[in-house]
Amino acid sequence: LTARVLVNRLWHYQFGKGIVSTPNDLGKNGAAPSHPELLDYLASELVSRSWRVKPMLRLMLTSQTYAMASHHPEEVALVKRDPGNQWLWRAPLRRLEAEVIRDQILAVSGRLSLEQGGPGFFEALPREMGTKYPFFDWIASPEISRVRRSLYIYQRRNMVMPLMEAFDGADASASCAGRESNVNAAQAFALFNSAFCHVNGRHFAARVRDEAGEYREDQITRVFELALQRRPSAAERVAAAKLLEGSEDEESGLMDLCLGLFNANEFLYLD
């Protein structure tokens, strides 16, 4: 049972849904496994590999199932037969977790610190959030600490980070078997209007100017390369150029383009 629980969680983290869809309950009250033979095989492989996690992840990530595209040439017919993709006929399109989105914004802006270990840090909170309690004061850490990975953010059960809350961060008051993935207006507000995104949008724009120079076409290309790992299409290049031309100044226009790509599905979803 222990081996099945562990490999089911590993599968859940990589595919967005476990072989048993209730990772906290592999008992009678939980869901039945969609592929019981696969679950047994992975559990036996875990034991034979001395309970090492990395070899199991390598086995999953190099599988034909993980390598599948999110779109299938016979999608219309297959959706009718298996709308929930239970039989894994395509790769699931998954939105990134809140922590990964924050790390990715820092990464493309060129500010992400990969320093490991040590104490966590206190993120800067919006002014409208209360930071003083009779028994505790929330004092933001120095900026050099606040660019570390989200793994090191200090969080309290009654003080949820706005970006984390908008993108379905885990509830610290209860056990979280799996993250929800909702789409709501608060997410766009967080990515367009939050102080965190504005600061990193400016750094992103500055990085693009440093790497691409002052030529507008080169800047547009570099923004897409850094944010989406591809070059812009002809239509995207025209739209980006119009955005830059319609801005009050070159600096704000490039920052607006960077904020726009923070909101792109390609930036937020694992395809």
Side-chain angles (χ1 to χ4, degrees):
L1 177 61
T2 304
R4 288 183 176 90
V5 170
L6 180 52
V7 296
N8 186 65
R9 288 186 182 277
L10 295 178
W11 188 275
H12 168 86
Y13 296 145
Q14 304 308 322
F15 290 87
K17 181 180 179 182
I19 300 170
V20 178
S21 61
T22 53
N24 271 12
D25 190 351
L26 268 69
K28 293 182 178 180
N29 293 328
S34 58
H35 301 72
E37 295 87 355
L38 175 60
L39 184 63
D40 288 346
Y41 166 74
L42 292 174
S44 64
E45 284 293 307
L46 176 66
V47 175
S48 68
R49 299 177 191 219
S50 304
W51 296 81
R52 295 170 60 210
V53 171
K54 284 188 177 180
M56 295 305 300
L57 291 175
R58 186 177 296 110
L59 177 64
M60 294 179 187
L61 299 182
T62 56
S63 67
Q64 183 178 357
T65 303
Y66 189 82
M68 294 179 69
S70 58
H71 300 283
H72 195 284
E74 301 177 16
E75 186 165 349
V76 175
L78 291 171
V79 164
K80 293 180 180 179
R81 296 174 59 185
D82 181 22
N85 193 31
Q86 181 180 2
W87 304 112
L88 302 173
W89 50 270
R90 62 172 175 81
L93 189 64
R94 292 188 289 133
R95 205 206 51 224
L96 300 176
E97 296 91 344
E99 293 87 349
V100 180
I101 292 173
R102 177 186 175 275
D103 291 355
Q104 188 162 261
I105 291 173
L106 286 169
V108 298
S109 70
R111 305 177 71 216
L112 181 65
S113 168
L114 299 180
E115 178 188 353
Q116 297 184 10
F121 64 91
F122 293 86
E123 183 63 281
L125 297 178
R127 294 180 179 178
E128 57 269 21
M129 290 184 66
T131 58
K132 291 186 177 295
Y133 294 84
F135 53 88
F136 175 80
D137 284 348
W138 184 286
I139 301 175
S141 299
E143 187 173 7
I144 193 172
S145 298
R146 302 201 310 270
V147 294
R148 299 182 70 197
R149 292 169 56 204
S150 303
L151 172 68
Y152 296 103
I153 292 180
Y154 185 86
Q155 297 193 71
R156 293 179 62 86
R157 286 179 294 176
N158 59 345
M159 188 178 289
V160 182
M161 308 302 299
L163 186 65
M164 303 297 170
E165 185 176 24
F167 285 95
D168 309 297
D171 182 358
S173 301
S175 174
C176 179
R179 296 287 183 92
E180 298 292 333
S181 184
N182 299 304
V183 178
N184 55 67
Q187 295 167 354
F189 288 136
L191 294 176
F192 271 125
N193 301 330
S194 68
F196 173 80
C197 287
H198 273 238
V199 168
N200 286 286
R202 285 194 293 272
H203 281 278
F204 187 12
R207 177 186 180 184
V208 169
R209 284 194 297 272
D210 290 341
E211 296 182 5
E214 298 301 321
Y215 187 52
R216 182 172 295 171
E217 288 294 321
D218 291 341
Q219 291 179 351
I220 293 173
T221 299
R222 191 57 182 152
V223 169
F224 275 80
E225 287 176 342
L226 289 172
L228 306 183
Q229 301 298 300
R230 64 171 177 83
R231 298 172 69 87
S233 66
E236 290 168 336
R237 192 178 293 277
V238 170
K242 287 183 178 179
L243 174 63
L244 297 181
E245 292 171 359
S247 301
E248 295 180 358
D249 55 77
E250 184 177 345
E251 182 176 354
S252 63
L254 189 56
M255 176 182 164
D256 288 342
L257 178 59
C258 293
L259 290 176
L261 289 193
F262 286 166
N263 282 266
N265 282 344
E266 281 187 66
F267 189 81
L268 300 173
Y269 284 80
L270 180 63
D271 187 354

